[in-house]
Amino acid sequence: MTERLGVAVIGAGYWGPNLVRNFGSSPHWDVKVVCDLDLDRARAVAGPHIEVTDQLQRVLDDPSIDAVAIATPARTHQGLALDALLAGKHVLVEKPLADSVAGGRAMVELAEQRGLVLMTDHTYCYTPAVQKMRELVVSGELGDIHFVDSVRINLGLVQPDIDVLWDLAPHDLSILDFILPGGLPTSGVSATGADPIGAGRACVGHLTLPLAGDGLAHVHVNWLSPTKIRQMVIGGSRRTLVWDDLNPQQRLSVYDRGVDLARTSVAGADRAASSISYRLGDTWSPALPEREALGQMVGEFATAIREDRPALTDGHAGLRVLTVLEAASATLYGEPSVPVPPGPRPASTEPALEAVR
């Protein structure tokens, strides 16, 4: 077996324990250190056999640590990641990659200069359901994508430093970037939001992005809903796919239903007569394997390092999501619609996708 890679987890708060558990159970990794300013919290997460520290330099100076996983507030991601990259460590960062496009771009550029893997923890991209969604879209099973409606609402924690779009929408944007041919749309991003409770930031948000062929993607996020919904509907010219993340018995449903428009040219006239018909076919649910997404994600991180290639959800994927979020914020607070510059994408992500199956 290939020798395990050494990793340190920085941050023992909400997400850090999940990373420690999955790195610790992976055959690819050896958790060397858990780093957090609160040593008692770090000890509770690390257990009796993993060292804890409140000194970042302890992590950076250790040659047995090949990589760091950062699970701290977004405003700290850039500084921690740059320090780790300068120390020669590969870096995994929980979403969002940074708190600004400029910060994310600095991280991506330094990783490329140093020949190191910078990976964004877009966890949903490693779930069997989202990987199947990508397969169905890429294979053409759904046809041309006409619309995407995504809803992520619940009675959630009102964050002290970011609005609901920055808190919840990265999940949906990372999924769209993963499954749509060409990734996230690159222009025409717009958003609306509301703060009915006077929190000082949007607690309800709607984000829209244009799709090819006059299609539209819509993301609805909400901290104030008493009901919890995690659902995405992807409508294609051939079939429609529904993902319900809260229904473990049937997370995915494919509907052979839709609207067909038949156009008949009228001789000698510059117009067409249109006839709309409705297609009502079968519904089926793909079988999905049971596996933990974070386990697949840490495996992909190790494989990308060993194969010296970009990770499936690399720094550029995180940067594209950041760019859409900044464009949405510009429109949310009164600016006109902001074009989103496209980020480079790997020539093919299929080998990486196969590596984590």
Side-chain angles (χ1 to χ4, degrees), residues 64-81:
S64 72
I65 295 175
D66 302 287
V68 300
I70 298 171
T72 58
R75 65 182 180 276
T76 68
H77 288 179
Q78 179 187 354
L80 291 171

Side-chain angles (χ1 to χ4, degrees), residues 9 12 22 27 50 63 78 98 126 130 147 151 155 174 178 195-196 210 221 225-226 234 253 277 302-303:
V9 176
N22 279 274
I50 300 173
Q78 179 187 354
Y126 298 92
V130 173
F147 69 88
V151 180
L155 196 61
S174 68
F178 184 68
D195 177 22
V221 288
S225 171
I234 305 173
S253 301
S277 61
T303 303

Side-chain angles (χ1 to χ4, degrees), residues 122-125 169-179 184 321:
H122 288 164
T123 309
Y124 275 105
C125 298
H171 294 302
D172 307 274
L173 293 174
S174 68
I175 293 168
L176 292 177
D177 186 63
F178 184 68
I179 67 176
L184 284 171
V321 170

Side-chain angles (χ1 to χ4, degrees), residues 298-312:
V298 300
E300 163 64 3
F301 189 29
T303 303
I305 292 170
R306 289 182 172 132
E307 296 182 355
D308 190 25
R309 61 163 174 81
L312 183 60

Side-chain angles (χ1 to χ4, degrees), residues 153-172:
I153 66 175
N154 59 276
L155 196 61
L157 178 65
V158 176
Q159 300 294 331
D161 54 348
I162 55 175
D163 63 27
V164 70
L165 284 170
W166 279 80
D167 182 39
L168 298 183
H171 294 302
D172 307 274

Side-chain angles (χ1 to χ4, degrees), residues 261-275:
L261 183 65
R263 294 186 178 273
T264 305
S265 296
V266 178
D270 294 327
R271 59 190 179 89
S274 299
S275 175

Side-chain angles (χ1 to χ4, degrees), residues 23 26 53 76 131 154 169 171 173 180 199 210 233 242 250 256 265 280 287 312-313 322 356:
F23 277 115
S26 170
T53 183
T76 68
Q131 290 186 351
N154 59 276
H171 294 302
L173 293 174
L180 291 177
V233 182
V242 177
Q250 190 170 328
D256 187 12
S265 296
L280 300 176
L312 183 60
T313 54
L322 274 180
V356 300

